[in-house]
Amino acid sequence: MNKASHLKGIGLKATGPRLRILDLFETSEDRHMSAEDVYKKLISEDADIGLATIYRVLTQFEQAGILIRHHFESGKAVYELNQGGHHDHMVCYRCGKVTEFFDPEIEALQNRIAEQHGFKIKDHSLYLYGECSDCVNCEPKYFKR
């Protein structure tokens, strides 16, 4: 199914801005992008799409299940393409790099702990914050531990 048909199938018109933003998420090396990140990338491609339109499209895509929104420690919403399947995130608090991972042992442990407390997990998010391998030996410029 092409992008336009996919958007129409979930009740969204296949407008130029929607198609451009969807294409950006599908082709970008950056899997996690804020509205500002999307705006900068589109500007660099000479796209004439305003920031308000980008916020509106990201919200529509989230509501339609195309994108997943995260709130990492940066305080701003970051979106990633919903490709199905669960994964967790490690976030570098120095450079903002996001690394995705899945570990069956962690998943089993979470389920076992929930069961011990009479709790049934319906959904969860695990974010680990620390320093990535690029930052661990660097002197911080603006960040104090």
Side-chain angles (χ1 to χ4, degrees), residues 89-135:
H89 298 88
M90 292 183 285
V91 182
C92 179
Y93 65 84
R94 301 231 349 238
C95 71
K97 177 182 176 183
V98 178
T99 303
E100 298 175 352
F101 71 96
F102 176 81
D103 187 303
E105 290 180 49
I106 290 175
E107 300 302 315
L109 179 59
Q110 291 173 131
N111 288 326
R112 195 167 58 247
I113 290 169
E115 188 178 309
Q116 289 170 356
H117 293 276
F119 195 81
K120 177 81 173 154
I121 296 175
K122 297 293 183 184
D123 192 16
H124 79 277
S125 298
L126 176 62
Y127 303 121
L128 303 175
Y129 297 96
E131 294 175 312
C132 70
S133 59
D134 294 333
C135 292

Side-chain angles (χ1 to χ4, degrees), residues 55-111:
Y55 275 107
R56 190 169 42 257
V57 170
L58 294 177
T59 299
Q60 292 166 344
F61 282 1
E62 179 194 5
Q63 291 171 347
I66 296 170
L67 297 177
I68 299 170
R69 180 175 50 168
H70 300 281
H71 289 282
F72 299 136
E73 288 295 302
S74 66
K76 62 183 175 182
V78 178
Y79 298 84
E80 73 173 304
L81 198 58
N82 183 358
Q83 297 178 310
H86 171 76
H87 61 267
D88 297 308
H89 298 88
M90 292 183 285
V91 182
C92 179
Y93 65 84
R94 301 231 349 238
C95 71
K97 177 182 176 183
V98 178
T99 303
E100 298 175 352
F101 71 96
F102 176 81
D103 187 303
E105 290 180 49
I106 290 175
E107 300 302 315
L109 179 59
Q110 291 173 131
N111 288 326

